[in-house]
Amino acid sequence: MVGRGSGSSSKATGCSGAARPAVHARSTARPPRLAPENSWQVAFEEDAYSVSILDSGDWAAPLLRLSYTSFTTPHTVLDIHMFTQRRVVRSVAAVGGGFRPSDYRSYRLWAAAADGVEVPLSLVYRLDTFGRNGLNPALLMVYGAYGTKYDPEWDSRLLSLLDRGWVLGIAHVRGGGELGYAWHAAGRMEHKPNSFSDLDAAAATLIAHNLTSPGRLAVWGRSAGGLTAAGAINAAPHLFNAALLDVPFLDVLGDLVDAGLPLTVKEWDEWGYPLTNSSQAAVIASYSPVHNVRPGVSYPHMLVTAGLMDKRVGYWEAAKWVAQLRAASSASRGRDISVDELQLEPMHSEAAEQGGSSDAAASAARGFSLSSTSSSSSSRHRRHGSHQALLLVTDM
């Protein structure tokens, strides 16, 4: 063999006389190991962000490749040298329209839940449209199930709201995985009500910090996040002015006692076993949204979407919820409740092939309308006009 950096001399074979190509030995030297006393933390300037480890190639390379993003930072790939701590930005997603991260502020806020647990919120707003006076419209986003992490990340669609003065936030409630397995366990099965009280605490914290007010606060949740939002609304409807529930999981008790539904059996481990565990059944019954709508209560204005062929969540769950909200609010017609401007999100993309009655869906949706007028003279703390609930069913 010829060592690295040597000449290219070769040796002839005994039979053919052909020259044997030079073979260079791969260096077996390994990079030095980091001793515990020399370890260091990879820190970032922003309080709220999302970071993940990417493939760095050669396992022996002293580089850590990361993907980094936040509300105000487009997706960025950077390398960090493990021994010198030097950072090199490899790529940043291009953003047009004159976007400048310095125009916005993204940060972390903590809310105290009913049981004293501190719940993290990730927030962002545009600096030149924000005032700490409770007059900002705000949208609070939530998921909180299956141990799924809902971290802040770049989404250019949010700029439309931010540039019009909205405060946007994510409530990292228990049931999600943002703070590890224990955080998930504290919001599943018999502990699921913690997810709802966490979201209510997050909303109350935004209001207490004068970031918004009840008459200007909207909440958005999708699928199991729609359950989180609905559970929080049932518990404290006065905190919210509007809600957007995308293909929400609303008939929890009805679904979990029907083992014939496609996903019920595998879902028991997340929500509980109501057929065999009476205490878990009681907990589920205490929060299942369609079973806990309160008559005569002023609920937020609501847009609820459903997919006609969505095998994950039946469209009839949204139809039940909207029908019950309309019946419950009939007793409070004429009370001082309101409508605020809303930015609507796209429809659920996780649709699958399952038949259903399009006539029934059309019948459920027929006649529903959403009045979206807003008044600059409306009170910060009270909602004006009649409660409105809109059900939107598509053939997805």
Side-chain angles (χ1 to χ4, degrees):
M1 292 190 297
V2 180
R4 173 178 275 178
S6 302
S8 57
S9 60
S10 61
K11 184 184 290 184
T13 62
C15 56
S16 65
R20 178 180 295 172
V23 179
H24 297 279
R26 183 185 178 97
S27 173
T28 59
R30 296 187 179 185
R33 295 188 177 185
L34 280 174
E37 60 271 17
N38 296 327
S39 63
W40 53 280
Q41 182 177 4
V42 179
F44 299 94
E45 293 182 359
E46 295 180 285
D47 291 335
Y49 55 85
S50 177
V51 65
S52 58
I53 299 176
L54 301 179
D55 185 358
S56 301
D58 187 353
W59 70 271
L63 295 177
L64 178 66
R65 177 158 291 179
L66 299 177
S67 172
Y68 178 90
T69 182
S70 72
F71 279 135
T72 60
T73 304
H75 290 275
T76 301
V77 175
L78 66 154
D79 287 340
I80 299 179
H81 196 286
M82 299 294 289
F83 302 99
T84 66
Q85 303 185 27
R86 179 171 176 265
R87 301 187 185 195
V88 178
V89 175
R90 295 301 182 187
S91 66
V92 179
V95 180
F99 167 77
R100 294 182 303 179
S102 59
D103 290 338
Y104 307 86
R105 183 192 178 199
S106 172
Y107 71 108
R108 175 67 41 77
L109 187 64
W110 295 84
D115 58 1
V117 172
E118 293 289 313
V119 179
L121 287 79
S122 297
L123 301 173
V124 62
Y125 55 79
R126 184 178 174 111
L127 291 168
D128 59 4
T129 63
F130 173 78
R132 195 173 291 275
N133 51 20
L135 298 178
N136 305 96
L139 176 63
L140 192 55
M141 300 171 280
V142 70
Y143 191 71
Y146 304 108
T148 299
K149 292 185 293 183
Y150 189 2
D151 291 327
E153 61 180 32
W154 172 257
D155 186 344
S156 60
R157 296 173 299 177
L158 300 181
L159 291 178
S160 174
L161 291 176
L162 291 171
D163 291 347
R164 287 184 285 146
W166 284 68
V167 175
L168 304 180
I170 299 174
H172 305 288
V173 302
R174 282 173 283 185
E178 291 90 341
L179 297 181
Y181 175 76
W183 197 248
H184 172 213
R188 62 182 279 267
M189 302 188 81
E190 63 269 20
H191 304 298
K192 189 60 197 172
N194 287 335
S195 300
F196 316 135
S197 60
D198 286 358
L199 179 55
D200 285 335
T205 298
L206 293 184
I207 296 165
H209 283 252
N210 276 329
L211 295 168
T212 189
S213 56
R216 297 173 182 270
L217 177 58
V219 62
W220 175 86
R222 186 183 190 90
S223 193
L227 163 62
T228 305
I233 290 168
N234 271 343
H238 62 281
L239 291 174
F240 306 96
N241 182 51
L244 295 87
L245 307 184
D246 277 338
V247 290
F249 180 32
L250 298 172
D251 189 1
V252 184
L253 183 61
D255 283 5
L256 293 181
V257 298
D258 186 353
L261 292 176
L263 300 179
T264 291
V265 174
K266 63 183 293 187
E267 293 286 316
W268 283 335
D269 191 52
E270 177 70 17
W271 312 104
Y273 296 80
L275 294 176
T276 59
N277 189 313
S278 59
S279 63
Q280 291 180 356
V283 172
I284 294 169
S286 73
Y287 71 75
S288 181
V290 300
H291 298 94
N292 288 279
V293 174
R294 293 183 283 162
V297 172
S298 295
Y299 276 83
H301 303 283
M302 219 162 295
L303 172 65
V304 186
T305 67
L308 187 62
M309 292 182 285
D310 186 348
K311 74 175 183 180
R312 296 174 182 266
V313 182
Y315 65 86
W316 52 87
E317 299 193 29
K320 287 181 184 179
W321 169 253
V322 170
Q324 291 200 36
L325 286 175
R326 287 180 154 253
S329 66
S330 63
S332 60
R333 294 285 169 114
R335 297 174 80 186
D336 205 14
I337 54 180
S338 108
V339 179
D340 202 349
E341 294 178 312
L342 292 177
Q343 175 75 16
L344 306 183
E345 287 289 321
M347 192 59 192
H348 199 311
S349 62
E350 295 178 344
E353 287 151 77
Q354 178 179 334
S357 170
S358 57
D359 291 339
S363 175
R366 191 175 295 120
F368 287 79
S369 63
L370 179 65
S371 173
S372 58
T373 58
S374 63
S375 171
S376 59
S377 62
S378 63
S379 166
R380 288 175 50 193
H381 301 289
R382 303 172 72 188
R383 299 195 292 268
H384 301 277
S386 297
H387 164 85
Q388 297 289 336
L390 170 66
L391 173 64
L392 175 62
V393 181
T394 76
D395 60 358
M396 295 180 66

